Amino acid sequence: KELVELKQEAQEIGKLVSQLGGFFDLEKLKNDIASYTEEQNKEGFWDDQKSALEVVNKLNDAKYKYVKNLFPYFPISLSTKNY
C-alpha cells in the first residue's frame, strides 16, 4: 500500500478509537467509578433527582465498561447494564 493510504487508514482507526470514549482505559474507568461513588455518597445527593439519576447512570455505565473490559466474553447485555 501507498504511504498515503496507510496514513488515511491510521487516521480512521484513530477516530474510531476516540469514539469509544475511553472504553478501554481501565484507569480512567476506575477513577470515574470512584468519583461517581463519592458523589453519590454525599449528603443531599437525592435532593436534585434529575442530576442524581444522571450520576447513577454514569456510574452504572462506567461499571459496565470496566467489567466488560476485564471479562470480555462474559455475557452482559446492554439492556441489563442499568438496573
Side-chain angles (χ1 to χ4, degrees), residues 34-45:
S35 175
Y36 296 138
T37 301
E38 183 179 323
E39 190 171 342
Q40 193 175 30
N41 291 328
K42 288 181 181 175
E43 189 173 330
F45 175 75

Side-chain angles (χ1 to χ4, degrees), residues 4-81:
V4 173
E5 290 175 2
L6 291 173
K7 185 176 178 182
Q8 262 183 327
E9 287 179 14
Q11 288 173 338
E12 289 174 21
I13 291 170
K15 288 178 188 175
L16 291 173
V17 169
S18 68
Q19 288 174 357
L20 291 172
F23 195 92
F24 299 106
D25 188 348
L26 291 179
E27 197 60 38
K28 180 184 182 321
L29 289 171
K30 281 175 31 178
N31 290 336
D32 288 348
I33 291 168
S35 175
Y36 296 138
T37 301
E38 183 179 323
E39 190 171 342
Q40 193 175 30
N41 291 328
K42 288 181 181 175
E43 189 173 330
F45 175 75
W46 288 104
D47 291 349
D48 180 353
Q49 288 192 2
K50 182 180 178 186
S51 177
L53 286 173
E54 287 177 12
V55 172
V56 169
N57 286 334
K58 288 177 182 179
L59 175 60
N60 287 339
D61 188 53
K63 286 179 178 180
Y64 169 80
K65 289 177 181 177
Y66 187 79
V67 169
K68 199 64 177 166
N69 270 288
L70 292 177
F71 307 102
Y73 302 109
F74 189 78
I76 301 173
S77 73
L78 289 171
S79 63
T80 60
K81 72 174 182 159

